[in-house]
Amino acid sequence: MGTVFSRVLQKKIDSKKTWNEIAKEAHIGLSSWMCGVPYAHPKDEELKKIAPVLNTTFEWLKNGEGK
């Protein structure tokens, strides 16, 4: 199933958007977790805002469940 970062990264690649574009559309700031820093993790609030930008659900990004 992978990590939260790997699921976000997969959807990022599918969307062909940059981290800057995703952050801007989600109205969040760029964060170190977006670079795959192993000790940095996205907050649930960030995932909830990113999910629609990446055409998926919070549940899938967080836990790999659903779409």
Side-chain angles (χ1 to χ4, degrees):
M1 200 55 56
T3 64
V4 172
F5 175 74
S6 66
R7 287 189 290 275
V8 174
L9 183 60
Q10 176 186 342
K11 289 294 185 178
K12 175 195 173 293
I13 291 167
D14 292 348
S15 75
K16 297 182 171 79
K17 294 180 181 185
T18 66
W19 285 119
N20 285 334
E21 291 169 330
I22 292 167
K24 183 177 180 179
E25 288 180 40
H27 304 286
I28 63 171
L30 289 175
S31 181
S32 56
W33 70 262
M34 293 176 178
C35 299
V37 176
Y39 58 82
H41 303 284
K43 297 175 184 167
D44 286 353
E45 263 318 295
E46 291 173 314
L47 292 177
K48 288 176 182 175
K49 291 179 179 181
I50 287 172
V53 172
L54 296 177
N55 196 31
T56 191
T57 64
F58 163 76
E59 291 79 12
W60 189 82
L61 292 178
K62 178 78 175 182
N63 304 309
E65 298 171 358
K67 181 179 174 188

